[in-house]
Amino acid sequence: AQSVTQLDSQVPVFEEAPVELRCNYSSSVSVYLFWYVQYPNQGLQLLLKYLSGSTLVESINGFEAEFNKSQTSFHLRKPSVHISDTAEYFCAVTRFTGGGNKLTFGTGTQLKVEL
Amino acid sequence: EAGVVQSPRYKIIEKKQPVAFWCNPISGHNTLYWYLQNLGQGPELLIRYENEEAVDDSQLPKDRFSAERLKGVDSTLKIQPAELGDSAVYLCASSQGTSAGETQYFGPGTRLLVL
């Protein structure tokens, strides 16, 4: 079975400051990794995902995440946050094979950007 | 392109009453998922459909929950009778196929409150 740990339930940060949201996973098999974002009263939206290739993946709005196999981590970073980045962020994994694309989510990190 | 549509968005019922949620996936998406999201938690898969077939319902509490996807398009999730602990957000998602790593697109969810 897979599990995802997001140790930080809330991360307050000032606008234009850098931020890192931590994600660690545990799995006996290889996995694909995702970050989803949930804005208030909206559904989850895919932010970025790692399937293969370069371990650094980027989103269109300036977020990036790096897959670190040895540390079983997939931390999300942004060098300068904006008020509009205030949302809940979920890290998730699926198995390479045999899982039917079932997503296993972490408990989420609430990012609150302040002026 | 329209996203995943869910209705109702909010539902308040008394315990022991029945309730049903409806989901219309993105056109052409053969795979449909129902997730349960408790407060402060990440979503957890309840059931996954490939076309009209339920291929993974291992997490669905079958004593009170049921689901159907007639004609392989729309889907309905039902709870009968509802219990206080069923208060949560019920999310529907869809994807084109079931390949691991394929993006799932989420609806806005139905927020259920059982009194």
Side-chain angles (χ1 to χ4, degrees):
Chain A
Q2 300 77 242
S3 67
V4 177
T5 301
Q6 293 182 251
L7 288 174
D8 304 308
S9 59
Q10 293 186 30
V11 173
V13 62
F14 288 111
E15 193 174 34
E16 298 183 5
V19 70
E20 178 179 80
L21 307 183
R22 295 181 293 168
C23 171
N24 288 87
Y25 69 92
S26 174
S27 177
S28 57
V29 298
S30 296
V31 296
Y32 293 126
L33 297 139
F34 304 77
W35 275 100
Y36 276 84
V37 58
Q38 187 173 33
Y39 298 103
N41 297 318
Q42 295 186 29
L44 282 79
Q45 303 173 28
L46 180 69
L47 190 59
L48 47 78
K49 63 183 179 182
Y50 173 75
L51 302 183
S52 64
S54 172
T55 57
L56 185 66
V57 289
E58 299 176 351
S59 72
I60 58 173
N61 58 351
F63 282 93
E64 63 180 28
E66 186 161 19
F67 170 53
N68 188 318
K69 188 174 183 179
S70 63
Q71 297 187 6
T72 60
S73 68
F74 192 53
H75 301 331
L76 183 70
R77 292 186 285 263
K78 189 170 186 179
S80 177
V81 295
H82 189 267
I83 285 286
S84 60
D85 293 324
T86 295
E88 187 143 26
Y89 293 78
F90 291 92
C91 183
V93 301
T94 60
R95 295 172 56 158
F96 269 12
T97 58
N101 205 25
K102 172 185 174 181
L103 283 167
T104 299
F105 285 91
T107 51
T109 297
Q110 179 66 44
L111 175 64
K112 185 173 182 181
V113 181
E114 302 169 351
L115 292 172
Chain B
E1 178 182 281
V4 176
V5 179
Q6 291 188 248
S7 70
R9 292 292 311 275
Y10 305 92
K11 189 73 176 180
I12 301 174
I13 61 172
E14 294 188 348
K15 63 180 180 180
K16 301 185 181 180
Q17 294 300 305
V19 64
F21 315 125
W22 175 81
C23 173
N24 182 249
I26 292 174
S27 177
H29 281 194
N30 298 320
T31 308
L32 184 145
Y33 314 76
W34 282 103
Y35 287 87
L36 166 67
Q37 185 176 17
N38 286 305
L39 187 65
Q41 301 294 317
E44 298 175 11
L45 182 69
L46 287 173
I47 188 169
R48 174 172 61 93
Y49 282 92
E50 290 181 20
N51 297 304
E52 63 273 11
E53 182 181 0
V55 295
D56 182 358
D57 63 355
S58 57
Q59 299 298 105
L60 190 71
K62 298 181 182 62
D63 56 335
R64 298 183 300 107
F65 286 67
S66 64
E68 60 183 13
R69 193 185 183 197
L70 301 177
K71 301 181 180 179
V73 181
D74 295 4
S75 178
T76 302
L77 178 68
K78 298 178 182 177
I79 308 174
Q80 182 171 11
E83 297 179 353
L84 295 177
D86 296 330
S87 296
V89 178
Y90 293 82
L91 298 167
C92 180
S94 70
S95 63
Q96 280 192 313
T98 57
S99 300
E102 195 157 346
T103 298
Q104 294 183 29
Y105 297 85
F106 285 80
T110 296
R111 188 176 298 272
L112 173 67
L113 178 60
V114 182
L115 301 175

